[in-house]
Amino acid sequence: MLFNVLSDPQALNAIQGKHDILLVFISWLVALAASYAGLDTIKLVRKVTHSLWRSVWLFAGASAMGLGVWSMHFIGMHAYQLDFPVTHAPVATLLSILPAILGSLSAMVVLSRPAPSHHSLWLAGVGLGMGIGAMHYSGMAAMRMPAELYYSLNLFLISLLVAVVLGMASVYVYRLCQQEWGIQRSRRCAFIAALCVSIAVSGMHYVAMQAAWYVPDGRVLVLPMHSHSRWLIYLIGVVAVLTALLTLVATGVQRRLHASQRHEYMTQTRLLEVISALQDSVVLLDNRARVRLCNAAFERLVGSTTNQLVGASIAHLNYAQDSQTLNVEIRQALEKHGEWSGMIKAIRANGLGFPAWLSVTCVNYADSNERDYVALLSDRSEEQQAEQRIRYLAYHDMLTELPNRRALQARIEELGAAEKAVHQQAFLALLDIDRFKLLNDSLGQDIGDELLRQLSKRLQQWAEKGLYAARLDGNEFALLGACSTNDGAIAQSEVCSLIDKVLASLTADYDLQGHTYPCKLNVGVLIFNPVKREGSAPLFKRADLALLVAKRLRDSQPQFFRAEQERELEERLMMERELRFAIENDELCLHLQPQVNGQHDVIGAEALLRWQHPQRGLVSPGHFIALAEETGLILPLGEWVLKEGCRLLGKWHQDAQLQHLKLSLNVSARQFQQPDFTDQVLSIIEQYDAPPARLTLELTESLLLIDPEGTINKMQQLQRMGVSFALDDFGTGYSSLSYLKLLPLDTLKIDIAFVRDLTLNRQARPIAGTIITLAESLGLGVIAEGVETEDQRLVLANLGCHVYQGFLFGRPTPVDVFTNTLTRPLTRFLD
């Protein structure tokens, strides 16, 4: 049929038909379904990498879409009702589907590209629109009817324009939606684009039908449309929809299959990449111990590639020291427990060994009865080195690199476990650098450290000769060695000779950064039987006791431990505990010894401390004052004496017969050095309402050597409050004369050593006279201690001393006895 243009339909009595609305709606739904099925295929096409399958799915999607577009046209043609019968040429009608498929294919090819250009999108939209238009008008040309077909040119062009514009819109809408939402929402993109395509097809079709006019010829008969045509419409519509559904199902299945394959591929690929990236060696073995899979680390270990290793038996690989025996052990453990792990010495391809942790585990698959084994080999070289370094630091001194106390304790234990120790004695010598603190303070800690390092090097030379040298702490070192005999006397002689040689080498001059230093050592030695396995603690304690004796003597002679030293220490510790208890539980008391003038009148007393021990009885200060000084108990002890003395003065002040008495209290140097000593004395005086003018504090000359300026300042503060000061044991010290004129003293006490010899030694009398003359020249009073005979008193009186204290006038007695005796004749003090 030729293409005829009709300018005036009225001129030729041309007519047009009417549309069945239901069929029109059905045709639009068919177009929508088919378009969606075709466009949804694009997501699958993008994921297919093989070119053949890509082409197959492109053609399948285009065919489904083209069939839908053609079905819409076919249904639309049958929805158009004319007043005369219309048939369609079968071949021409079927051929009209080709433009629709080609137009759809052009759009899908462009949209399946990753990033199509605007030019490509424009051509795709034009191709889709022209394919729809060509399909429609070729289908119209296949119509057979008793009438001539004419077209209105304007509507004809508009129909083509609608097809092209809406086709381009469909392509751009799909592309824009895809850019905005991505491939994860491709179905929504396909639906929106399919909506545009269905509107393009429907719009073009029904505009084109409005452009068609029919001029009947004389054979026209008015006949209704046959019922079989309506069934054909439904059949084609159902086929088109089913085709679309089948396409959707096929693409969905294919996508899932593709996703599953891709996931499996990605899983395997990533698994291989992960295994290859591991620094540890990983090997997958089958049930016959053949390599199925391994990573790059294992390849480097054995020096072979994966291709060479796969299928090889692990029994043929020399991966560890004594690998054949190890393989048997692992196989037995796997059969029994299903796993094995432990430290091994692995061997690299170059033959070098290294520590490694090997673990082998059985792998059971859920979907198979097969069983594999996975082996993991971890290099532990760095960890082992770190552990060795930590162990070294734990058992060695950082400065000198000698073994430390912990290492020495372990060595002592090993010495006791040795077989030959049964017939041998051993010795432990502790060496202390004498006056090391003075070296540090004078030349600096760097010099002190240098001395420690050089001494350690000399000790190392003896360590090479069989002795075990260690640095315990600070400036204290130790030597441990075995004797060649079990006889104690011979062993001591042997050790003494050896220690002398050691000291000769250690005490030779040291060059300390230009300073020559003659090092002096104090040495305490313990000889012991290592078989007794007493532990290191008691051995160190005994050696320390011997070292304490050496420090006290400071004669550079090694001191050997004696059992008496341990007993003395235990007694001292017991006495310390008991003295602490005595202070806290009022076991202390004061005894008073009178001080008299030349008329034998009691003018005061000296308070002397006594300890009323529940088992030992009355303990004099000579047995515990030195211990109190060493342990620091002298502070609470001195505070107790001060409080008790002030309490007595406060009590005497209330008694008319006693208020004139003075009381002398001894104050230790350590107590006087306390920063708050002055405040403490004034607070106690105020607490007991004691008259300060009746209190005399007796100080020793040793106090002047420590802090003369601080001592003078404190004395002046207390003296301003009325407290008096006496210098005890004058003449026995070294610095009294140099500071005597500066000290705010009130009284000098002549030491008992000079008083005792007044009648026996001619030199004692001029010394006592000098002391008395010196005191008179300085305006100080004088008291003579230890006056026991009348002859001594007469000599002192002739020399000018008229205040006395001693057994001649009374022994130290309890406070109550002293106060009661004051009301009786003075001769009662002699009883």
Side-chain angles (χ1 to χ4, degrees), residues 270-291:
R270 290 184 178 180
L271 178 61
L272 291 175
E273 291 176 353
V274 169
I275 293 176
S276 298
L278 291 176
Q279 298 299 318
D280 297 336
S281 298
V282 180
V283 187
L284 183 65
L285 306 170
D286 62 14
N287 198 31
R288 298 175 62 184
R290 294 175 302 188
V291 177

Side-chain angles (χ1 to χ4, degrees), residues 183 232 240 373 432 439 463 567 605 723 762:
I183 195 170
L232 183 60
Y373 299 91
D432 175 86
L439 173 66
R567 287 194 295 271
V723 178
R762 292 182 179 182

Side-chain angles (χ1 to χ4, degrees), residues 255-313:
R255 274 198 297 265
R256 288 180 178 273
L257 180 60
H258 179 75
S260 176
Q261 292 176 344
R262 182 175 179 80
H263 177 72
E264 182 180 358
Y265 172 77
M266 290 297 292
T267 301
Q268 293 178 350
T269 303
R270 290 184 178 180
L271 178 61
L272 291 175
E273 291 176 353
V274 169
I275 293 176
S276 298
L278 291 176
Q279 298 299 318
D280 297 336
S281 298
V282 180
V283 187
L284 183 65
L285 306 170
D286 62 14
N287 198 31
R288 298 175 62 184
R290 294 175 302 188
V291 177
R292 297 187 62 180
L293 178 68
C294 64
N295 65 347
F298 188 72
E299 294 179 12
R300 292 190 296 270
L301 175 66
V302 299
S304 302
T305 64
T306 301
N307 294 334
Q308 295 172 330
L309 292 172
V310 171
S313 175

Side-chain angles (χ1 to χ4, degrees), residues 500-574:
D500 287 341
K501 295 178 182 178
V502 172
L503 288 179
S505 66
L506 297 182
T507 56
D509 288 349
Y510 290 83
D511 183 8
L512 305 177
Q513 301 181 15
H515 300 276
T516 301
Y517 184 75
C519 182
K520 182 179 178 182
L521 296 174
N522 302 313
V523 183
V525 184
L526 168 69
I527 296 178
F528 64 98
N529 188 348
V531 179
K532 292 183 178 180
R533 309 290 291 273
E534 298 178 84
S536 59
L539 300 181
F540 276 110
K541 185 184 76 171
R542 295 166 192 165
D544 274 326
L545 288 174
L547 180 61
L548 286 175
V549 176
K551 288 181 179 179
R552 188 162 56 245
L553 297 177
R554 298 181 64 181
D555 57 0
S556 300
Q557 294 298 318
Q559 297 297 318
F560 285 82
F561 169 77
R562 294 177 289 104
E564 294 80 6
Q565 296 172 348
E566 194 165 21
R567 287 194 295 271
E568 291 173 2
L569 176 63
E570 292 175 356
E571 290 177 1
R572 287 172 62 84
L573 292 176
M574 182 180 296

Side-chain angles (χ1 to χ4, degrees), residues 92-114:
T93 301
L94 290 176
L95 289 177
S96 65
I97 198 174
L98 293 178
I101 294 175
L102 293 176
S104 301
L105 183 62
S106 65
M108 292 180 61
V109 168
V110 174
L111 292 176
S112 63
R113 296 174 183 172

Side-chain angles (χ1 to χ4, degrees), residues 194-235:
L195 190 62
C196 294
V197 172
S198 63
I199 294 174
V201 175
S202 301
M204 184 275 165
H205 176 83
Y206 292 108
V207 171
M209 294 305 292
Q210 289 298 320
W213 291 86
Y214 302 92
V215 178
D217 56 18
R219 301 172 295 147
V220 174
L221 297 174
V222 180
L223 296 172
M225 186 173 61
H226 299 288
S227 60
H228 70 273
S229 298
R230 187 171 292 270
W231 283 108
L232 183 60
I233 292 171
Y234 293 147
L235 178 61

